[in-house]
Amino acid sequence: AQSVTQLGSHVSVSEGALVLLRCNYSSSVPPYLFWYVQYPNQGLQLLLKYTTGATLVKGINGFEAEFKKSETSFHLTKPSAHMSDAAEYFCAVSEGPGGSYIPTFGRGTSLIVHP
Amino acid sequence: NAGVTQTPKFRVLKTGQSMTLLCAQDMNHEYMYWYRQDPGMGLRLIHYSVGEGTTAKGEVPDGYNVSRSTTEDFPLRLLSAAPSQTSVYFCASSYSTAAGAQHFGDGTRLSIL
């Protein structure tokens, strides 16, 4: 069965600092990986996804993530945090043929950005 | 293009009452999902559907019913509301592939007194 672990329920950074949100997964078949962002009182929005091909994936708002199969990781990064990046971030995994198409979500990481 | 629309946005119920949370999507997505979101628990899958006429249980299905009579609609019914069902409920939809990203509604905030 697939699973997702997001390390750190809260991450605090200063404006302009590097953002690093960690996500590790387990999957019995090649995974499809997603990062979503949730702003207050809103639903989740897709930031980026990895399906196949290039392991470094670029998303919206300057975020990117790298799929590392050997480390079973899909960490989310942004070189310079902005106040508007404060939100809840969710990592999710689904599996291709032979596995479960239904995504499994991590518990989320709240990003706090200090001025 | 409205995407995924949830109604109502807020509701307060008394213990034992029943209600239906509505979800509609206009993207012709085959897959639809209901989640509940509680502090520190992330998103937990209640029920999902892989196409019209199908439903399946997720992680926390007890106390909830769903049906999928059309591609567009996927209502969630609380049979007899309990305080433990106080939560924010999200509906989502996606194409029928594992690579398809989910599209979420804005949620229904439900309080059970």
Side-chain angles (χ1 to χ4, degrees), chain B residues 19-21 34 63-67 75-80 85:
Chain B
M19 80 161 292
T20 300
L21 281 64
W34 274 106
Y64 306 95
N65 274 354
V66 291
S67 59
L76 177 73
R77 297 180 184 86
L78 277 69
L79 309 174
S80 177
Q85 294 177 305

Side-chain angles (χ1 to χ4, degrees), chain B residues 10-108:
Chain B
F10 305 93
R11 185 74 183 266
V12 178
L13 288 180
K14 294 181 179 180
T15 298
Q17 288 184 315
S18 63
M19 80 161 292
T20 300
L21 281 64
L22 300 179
C23 174
Q25 54 95 5
D26 61 0
M27 296 169 284
N28 202 33
H29 286 164
E30 287 194 5
Y31 287 16
M32 295 189 74
Y33 317 78
W34 274 106
Y35 294 92
R36 59 178 290 174
Q37 184 177 26
D38 303 290
M41 301 297 290
L43 290 172
R44 292 184 290 171
L45 184 64
I46 304 172
H47 287 284
Y48 64 97
S49 168
V50 298
E52 185 177 327
T54 76
T55 62
K57 294 180 179 180
E59 180 185 356
V60 288
D62 293 342
Y64 306 95
N65 274 354
V66 291
S67 59
R68 186 88 182 274
S69 57
T70 67
T71 298
E72 295 78 19
D73 301 300
F74 191 44
L76 177 73
R77 297 180 184 86
L78 277 69
L79 309 174
S80 177
S84 61
Q85 294 177 305
T86 293
S87 187
V88 181
Y89 292 85
F90 287 99
C91 179
S93 69
S94 70
Y95 288 113
S96 57
T97 71
Q102 291 174 302
H103 296 250
F104 285 81
D106 284 337
T108 295

Side-chain angles (χ1 to χ4, degrees), chain A residues 23-98:
Chain A
C23 173
N24 289 89
Y25 70 91
S26 67
S27 174
S28 56
V29 299
Y32 298 141
L33 296 157
F34 307 82
W35 274 102
Y36 292 86
V37 60
Q38 183 183 31
Y39 299 105
N41 299 316
Q42 294 185 25
L44 280 68
Q45 306 170 34
L46 181 69
L47 265 182
L48 50 81
K49 69 177 182 180
Y50 168 80
T51 54
T52 59
T55 57
L56 182 62
V57 180
K58 296 186 184 298
I60 61 172
N61 301 338
F63 284 93
E64 62 183 34
E66 186 171 11
F67 170 57
K68 293 188 176 181
K69 183 179 178 180
S70 62
E71 299 177 8
T72 61
S73 69
F74 191 57
H75 301 332
L76 182 70
T77 61
K78 182 174 180 177
S80 177
H82 192 273
M83 296 296 291
S84 61
D85 294 327
E88 190 85 12
Y89 291 81
F90 291 92
C91 182
V93 62
S94 62
E95 297 176 324

